[in-house]
Structure formats: structure tokens, C-alpha cells
Amino acid sequence: MLVLSGILIIVAGFLLRFNPLLVVLVSALATGLAAGIGPLDLLAAFGKAFNDSRYVTVIYMVLPVIGLLERHGLQERARTLIAGLKGFTVGRLLLGYLAFRQITAALGLVSVAGHAQTVRPLVAPMAEAAAQQQSGEDERDEEAAAMAAATDNIGLFFGEDIFIAIGSILLMKGVLEGYGISIEPLHLSVWAIPTAIAAFLIHGLRLWLFDRRKSRR
């Protein structure tokens, strides 16, 4: 029963609003000690778990770097870059980003881009600057930033299904097997290609219409 004391520590820690990392750490220590594992063996187990899953935590190591770059003017530099390019539009920028996002997601590189890594620090400021250039308005264009976020979602959602080892493919295979339909993951990936192309064309049309609306202002 003492092994389950870790659960009580987690519940009490979160109820009392202690630091979550500290609560989890104390809970793991209590569980390990209650199970008869020595302190050095516990430390070795923590190190092994971190080493085995380090690829999962890579994104959390990148985020502080992005925050530091933003603090030193990354967004402003992105806006300045776009403002210096003549004839650059929101639609062209986001269409290129959509193609990049779909292709990398189809190759399984879903963490190469994303809202925290690219949309907030780079793509959204660039889209806002392009929208200001098109419309001639000085105010920040939140609609362009929202369209940048939507483009990332669409590119990721319809691109990752082409990659055979992604979780959504395995989920669909499991659900279909539950209904007695046996299908290989490769077939699901192949049939995701036309869907991705259709999504690219439809969202490309939306971006074209968005461009026209901005240019009319």
C-alpha cells in the first residue's frame, strides 16, 4: 500500500498548488523508496528515463531559445524583412508555408514547425507586415495572424496522415479493425495523398481570396 503513497502526494500537491515539477519529483521519490529502491538506483532510473525519452523533450529545450530571440527583436526583424520586399503578399507567403508544412509533416517531421516554433515568432509577424503593406494600414492585422495559425493547422493536419507511422494512422487502423475491417497502414497513407492535395487547393483558394480582399482596402 505504501507504494501508492505517490498518488496521494500528487493529489495533495496539486490541491495545495505546489510547484508541479516538485510534486511529481517527490511523488516519484516516495514511490521508489516505498518499493525498496535505493536513492542511487532511483537517480539512475530518472537518468535512464530522461535519456530514453530525450527526443520528446527536445521541443522544450528549443522554446527558451525562441523566447530569447523574441526578446531581442526577432518579430520586429521579421516584419522589417517583409516590409522591404515589394510585391510580397500574405497569400503568397502563407501558400509557401502551407506547402512546407504539408511536405515536412508527410515525412514525419511534425515538430520542425508549429505555433510556438515558427508561427508566433516568424510567420505571423511576416503575415501582419505583408497585410499592412497591402492594405496601407498601420495597425497590426490580427486577421492575417489568425490566417497564419490556420495555415499551420491545415498543413499539419492533412500532411501528417501521409506519414505511415503517425498516431492518427494507427488510430484509424485500430478503429477499423474494431469494426472488422482489416487494412494496412500503407493504404491509409496512400489515400491521404488526394485529401492533402485537395486541402492544399482549397486553402490556397482561401488565401487567394484573402489577398484580393486585402488589396481592395
Side-chain angles (χ1 to χ4, degrees):
M1 289 297 291
L2 285 178
V3 177
L4 299 178
S5 60
I7 299 175
L8 294 176
I9 293 174
I10 286 183
V11 173
F14 281 106
L15 284 176
L16 296 173
R17 298 186 178 184
F18 289 142
N19 185 299
L21 181 60
L22 183 63
V23 172
V24 173
L25 185 62
V26 171
S27 170
L29 284 172
T31 303
L33 293 174
I37 302 175
L40 292 180
D41 291 335
L42 272 177
L43 185 62
F46 285 158
K48 184 177 185 305
F50 178 80
N51 188 57
D52 291 345
S53 60
R54 61 189 182 280
Y55 61 91
V56 177
T57 58
V58 166
I59 182 62
Y60 300 111
M61 299 172 71
V62 172
L63 289 179
V65 177
I66 293 174
L68 190 63
L69 291 173
E70 279 193 36
R71 182 179 176 84
H72 287 83
L74 178 63
Q75 292 189 0
E76 286 72 17
R77 292 296 300 170
R79 289 193 185 94
T80 304
L81 175 66
I82 292 300
L85 298 176
K86 301 299 179 186
F88 208 76
T89 66
V90 181
R92 292 170 189 169
L93 169 70
L94 295 184
L95 191 64
Y97 182 72
L98 176 64
F100 166 77
R101 192 66 165 132
Q102 277 197 323
I103 291 171
T104 53
L107 296 173
L109 305 173
V110 294
S111 297
V112 167
H115 290 273
Q117 302 98 309
T118 52
V119 174
R120 175 186 158 86
L122 288 174
V123 181
M126 286 181 172
E128 288 177 354
Q132 289 173 337
Q133 201 170 15
Q134 283 176 259
S135 62
E137 298 174 353
D138 293 331
E139 295 183 359
R140 293 184 62 177
D141 196 317
E142 295 185 357
E143 195 177 10
M147 187 61 83
T151 300
D152 185 89
N153 289 340
I154 292 169
L156 174 64
F157 186 84
F158 290 100
E160 67 176 4
D161 284 345
I162 300 174
F163 186 59
I164 191 171
I166 206 72
S168 55
I169 290 287
L170 302 178
L171 176 63
M172 283 187 279
K173 176 178 169 54
V175 171
L176 289 173
E177 283 183 348
Y179 287 98
I181 303 172
S182 180
I183 188 169
E184 293 298 323
L186 179 61
H187 293 162
L188 291 172
S189 297
V190 170
W191 281 104
I193 295 175
T195 309
I197 294 173
F200 182 84
L201 295 175
I202 292 170
H203 192 63
L205 176 62
R206 292 181 63 203
L207 293 172
W208 181 71
L209 294 173
F210 187 76
D211 255 356
R212 288 192 62 184
R213 186 152 48 88
K214 288 294 174 186
S215 299
R216 285 176 182 170
R217 291 182 180 175

